[in-house]
């Protein structure tokens, strides 16, 4: 192989790698804007967010009193809910990619009550204190649903989700809770093979005894 041929091949290889990276990483302009520092835990109160999750249910979170208009404070947190990390078990009934690169996920309980949890794209949260967790969540979802996800997927997969409380303003989102609460961003997702939430809880109790 001549030096010229070798040099040309190296340039082609570098070009292909750059192209692959460009395809997988969204441009900064594609990431969200509204309340984005809170959604990605890069806001001024990020260090105050509790890491230890508080166990809860979808129904309990839906009953938390919400601010009248969350948009009035897009870059600061509503204490204590938005400083709390919650752990909730439910069924993923819908997962879809949004324009801001998030995976929008509808989580439901056995009674059909729903709320939204969001998996942020890692490249849109590079400065987040939870960057590693955000990356792990997306990887787990892509593995479970053969991602990257480009089209809406309807399913009924039992999971336990850990994420930071966040109040979104209600604007017709699919699966939105009546108080607009979300877990945003998701910090962990664990897939279960149990047929129901009650079966999962019963198995958990049996393990602890």
């Amino acid at each position: 192989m001549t030096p010229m041929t070798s040099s040309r091949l190296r340039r082609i290889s570098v070009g292909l790698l750059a192209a692959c990276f460009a395809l997988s990483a969204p441009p900064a302009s594609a990431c969200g804007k509204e309340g984005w520092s809170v959604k990605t835990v890069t806001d001024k109160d990020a260090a105050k967010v509790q890491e230890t999750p508080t166990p809860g249910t979808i129904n309990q979170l839906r009953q938390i009193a919400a601010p009248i208009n969350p948009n009035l404070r897009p870059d600061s947190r509503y204490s204590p809910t938005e400083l709390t990390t919650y752990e909730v078990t439910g069924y993923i009934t819908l997962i879809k990619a949004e324009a801001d690169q998030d995976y929008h996920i509808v989580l439901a309980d056995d009674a059909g009550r729903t709320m939204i949890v969001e998996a942020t794209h890692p490249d849109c949260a590079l400065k987040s204190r939870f960057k590693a967790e955000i990356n792990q969540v997306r990887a787990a979802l892509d593995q479970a649903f053969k991602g990257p996800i480009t089209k809406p997927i309807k399913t009924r997969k039992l999971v336990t989700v850990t994420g930071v409380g966040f109040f979104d303003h209600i604007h017709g989102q699919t699966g939105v809770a009546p108080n607009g609460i979300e877990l945003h961003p998701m910090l962990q997702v664990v897939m279960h093979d149990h047929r129901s939430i009650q079966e999962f809880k019963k198995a958990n109790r049996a393990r602890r005894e």
Side-chain angles (χ1 to χ4, degrees), residues 31-88:
C31 299
K33 294 181 175 61
E34 185 179 274
W36 201 244
S37 63
V38 175
K39 292 178 179 179
T40 56
V41 199
T42 56
D43 59 293
K44 61 182 179 63
D45 294 322
K48 299 178 183 178
V49 175
Q50 299 172 4
E51 291 189 29
T52 303
T54 298
T57 66
I58 292 172
N59 189 39
Q60 289 169 345
L61 267 61
R62 284 163 51 103
Q63 296 181 48
I64 297 174
I68 295 174
N69 185 358
N71 279 355
L72 292 178
R73 287 169 47 187
D75 299 315
S76 60
R77 295 181 178 274
Y78 289 91
S79 179
T81 304
E82 292 189 337
L83 294 173
T84 303
T85 297
Y86 294 97
E87 182 183 87
V88 176

Side-chain angles (χ1 to χ4, degrees), residues 1 17 22 25 30 36 56 58 60-61 63 69 76 80 111 127 138 154 156 165 176 202:
M1 182 180 293
L17 285 171
W36 201 244
I58 292 172
Q60 289 169 345
L61 267 61
Q63 296 181 48
N69 185 358
S76 60
K127 296 182 180 180
R138 285 288 286 232
K154 292 184 178 181
R156 188 173 174 83
V176 67
K202 183 177 179 180

